[in-house]
Amino acid sequence: MKKSYYILLTFAATAAVLFMLGNWMGRSIALNKQQVIRGIHEAYCHATDSYEADRTKDLSPLFRDELSKAKLKRIKFRMDTVSLQRDSVVLKQDLRYFADYQKLINQHYTFVCPISPTQGVHAQILNFRAEFIGKLLYYFFATLLALCILLYAIRKQVNIIQRQDELARIREDFSYAMIHDMKNPISSILMGLKVLRSGKVDDKPEKREKYFEILETESQHLLALANKVLTISKLEHGQLLLDKNWIELRSILEALADTFTAKTDKPISFRLDLAEAGVYADEEYLKEALSNLIDNAIKYSKDTVDIQISSCLHNNYTQIKVRDNGIGIPLAAQRTIFDKFERVVSKSSDDKAKTISGFGLGLNYVMNVARAHGGYVSVESREGKYSEFTVSLPLPVEPLLSE
């Protein structure tokens, strides 16, 4: 069955539960009301019987005692004197069936008890609803609270299911992209091995060396893919040990600039503005994190690439900023770009949505490296203008002694 069917079934079941809950509450109130009416009538009957047996007693305290015995302590009443000559006077002998005294008590009155040949008294019930509704308030609010918790839990379950569906889709896309990216180097390795095994280049040292370089490059490519996935997993589980030392930023950044300038087809320029020359970090992982930021800047760039890299000190953190002149990141996407497998959907020149190739691991790697160092990473971007990523790494707690 389709997911939409189960969602519809859940809403239908919830509506049915709400309907039955409302019906149950209505019936409970009606039954409790009948019980209270019967209890008030019987208490007044017992009170008047005791009063007629001993006229020296006061009817009001007798009625109060009987209400307490009937567990109707919330009931408040007032004793009123009425003339027995009135046509509307209802005596005890006039009430034979439940419907008779139910109608009378619904009007908040009891029957009239004669106290003289011309006068009688009856009790006016001042808070009739407080008894039969008040008893159910605790159960009603408890049920309502439980229902709210149930609906909240259902909502959370729906969110979890939707997130799992999204993760399943992302993982399928990741698996496809990973296999597709691994296919080319594997094909190149197999082709190179086939040529070398055939002996066709045994007498051509230059070509033979070229094939060995291709094999080495493609093998390193495959190893880098595997290492990136394994490293992210270790970073997330806190299993990766960092070798942190003071390192020079300029040498690392100049090496990265030379590498990307050589392998990028687009015109590219790097500008370094390093107010802070060093950073306390693991050189290998920091270099890989910065490489991912530069690679993204090139991927999401326009025809020409202008990358500015700066550093400074801010609140006991060394901040490294990588700014580009690319297409920018939509505001909605900035909340999720550091999640694993997330990739930004951009707008191409013909205004059709396209997704830049990749696995959605680069920025997640940067975030995990920053966190492993005790720091953080942030982004500032405007669509069509620029993107600037800031990696903030903390200074050592105690200054290191210079050698």
Side-chain angles (χ1 to χ4, degrees):
M1 296 183 182
K2 293 182 179 180
K3 181 178 65 176
S4 58
Y5 173 80
Y6 290 106
I7 294 175
L8 182 62
L9 183 63
T10 301
F11 281 113
T14 305
V17 169
L18 291 174
F19 172 77
M20 289 186 286
L21 178 63
N23 191 30
W24 172 79
M25 287 297 299
R27 290 177 179 271
S28 297
I29 291 174
L31 290 173
N32 198 37
K33 181 179 180 181
Q34 292 181 5
Q35 183 180 2
V36 170
I37 290 173
R38 191 182 301 274
I40 293 174
H41 177 71
E42 291 177 355
Y44 195 68
C45 286
H46 294 157
T48 55
D49 290 343
S50 299
Y51 173 75
E52 290 175 357
D54 186 359
R55 293 274 180 165
T56 61
K57 295 180 179 180
D58 191 0
L59 182 59
S60 180
L62 291 174
F63 186 34
R64 169 56 59 198
D65 291 341
E66 293 296 333
L67 287 175
S68 298
K69 292 178 183 178
K71 298 181 180 180
L72 300 174
K73 297 180 179 181
R74 292 187 183 89
I75 293 296
K76 296 179 181 179
F77 62 90
R78 183 182 68 207
M79 304 300 293
D80 294 333
T81 303
V82 295
S83 173
L84 297 178
Q85 306 302 321
R86 293 169 53 187
D87 295 337
S88 59
V89 171
V90 179
L91 301 177
K92 184 178 181 180
Q93 57 268 26
D94 297 329
L95 305 175
R96 297 185 179 182
Y97 304 102
F98 174 78
D100 296 333
Y101 56 85
Q102 179 185 29
K103 180 179 179 181
L104 187 63
I105 295 180
N106 277 334
Q107 299 172 357
H108 296 194
Y109 290 102
T110 62
F111 61 84
V112 175
C113 175
I115 57 175
S116 69
T118 59
Q119 289 185 324
V121 293
H122 66 175
Q124 180 182 358
I125 309 301
L126 302 177
N127 61 338
F128 178 52
R129 290 186 178 86
E131 185 62 42
F132 68 85
I133 294 180
K135 282 186 176 181
L136 295 178
L137 284 179
Y138 300 109
Y139 300 103
F140 173 76
F141 286 120
T143 304
L144 187 63
L145 178 62
L147 181 63
C148 291
I149 294 174
L150 175 63
L151 293 176
Y152 175 77
I154 291 175
R155 177 59 183 168
K156 295 298 290 185
Q157 288 293 326
V158 171
N159 290 339
I160 291 172
I161 292 171
Q162 290 176 341
R163 182 59 181 166
Q164 288 176 341
D165 290 345
E166 181 67 15
L167 285 175
R169 183 191 64 78
I170 291 173
R171 283 171 180 165
E172 287 179 2
D173 293 344
F174 167 75
S175 300
Y176 174 81
M178 176 67 86
I179 292 172
H180 179 76
D181 202 55
M182 293 174 66
K183 182 179 178 181
N184 290 333
I186 291 174
S187 299
S188 299
I189 291 172
L190 291 175
M191 181 191 68
L193 289 174
K194 185 177 181 180
V195 172
L196 291 172
R197 180 175 290 180
S198 67
K200 293 180 180 179
V201 294
D202 288 348
D203 57 345
K204 300 175 181 177
E206 293 182 358
K207 283 192 174 182
R208 189 166 177 269
E209 184 64 25
K210 184 177 181 180
Y211 276 106
F212 276 120
E213 289 179 358
I214 292 174
L215 291 177
E216 183 179 2
T217 301
E218 297 298 343
S219 298
Q220 289 178 349
H221 184 193
L222 288 175
L223 182 62
L225 290 176
N227 284 338
K228 182 173 287 188
V229 176
L230 291 175
T231 300
I232 289 177
S233 178
K234 289 181 179 180
L235 284 169
E236 288 180 339
H237 292 87
Q239 298 175 349
L240 198 65
L241 297 178
L242 300 179
D243 182 19
K244 293 192 285 185
N245 292 289
W246 279 107
I247 55 178
E248 293 291 330
L249 280 173
R250 185 170 294 276
S251 58
I252 293 177
L253 295 173
E254 287 179 349
L256 289 174
D258 292 340
T259 301
F260 280 99
T261 301
K263 71 178 186 179
T264 303
D265 296 332
K266 300 178 182 180
I268 182 172
S269 64
F270 285 90
R271 287 187 288 171
L272 304 182
D273 181 16
L274 305 180
E276 184 63 22
V279 62
Y280 186 65
D282 184 299
E283 182 174 355
E284 178 184 353
Y285 293 109
L286 177 61
K287 185 176 181 180
E288 181 66 21
L290 294 175
S291 176
N292 286 335
L293 292 178
I294 295 172
D295 185 55
N296 276 354
I298 296 172
K299 281 182 180 179
Y300 294 94
S301 65
K302 302 173 184 177
D303 294 334
T304 60
V305 188
D306 181 18
I307 299 176
Q308 304 174 42
I309 305 177
S310 60
S311 65
C312 64
L313 282 179
H314 180 72
N315 292 337
N316 293 323
Y317 283 87
T318 302
Q319 292 189 333
I320 307 170
K321 300 183 179 183
V322 179
R323 183 186 180 101
D324 61 57
N325 62 334
I327 59 177
I329 304 170
L331 184 60
Q334 292 180 26
R335 301 176 181 176
T336 59
I337 55 173
F338 295 105
D339 294 343
K340 190 187 290 186
F341 309 129
E342 286 291 338
R343 290 180 293 170
V344 176
V345 177
S346 63
K347 292 288 185 178
S348 61
S349 57
D350 58 355
D351 202 36
K352 293 182 179 179
K354 68 175 183 178
T355 303
I356 304 296
S357 61
F359 307 127
L361 294 177
L363 292 179
N364 183 259
Y365 181 91
V366 175
M367 180 191 70
N368 281 292
V369 167
R371 286 181 176 177
H373 282 79
Y376 59 93
V377 61
S378 58
V379 62
E380 180 183 343
S381 180
R382 289 183 61 186
E383 284 191 82
K385 298 292 184 179
Y386 69 91
S387 294
E388 183 177 80
F389 289 87
T390 302
V391 179
S392 300
L393 303 180
L395 297 174
V397 178
E398 297 181 359
L400 298 180
L401 295 177
S402 60
E403 296 182 358

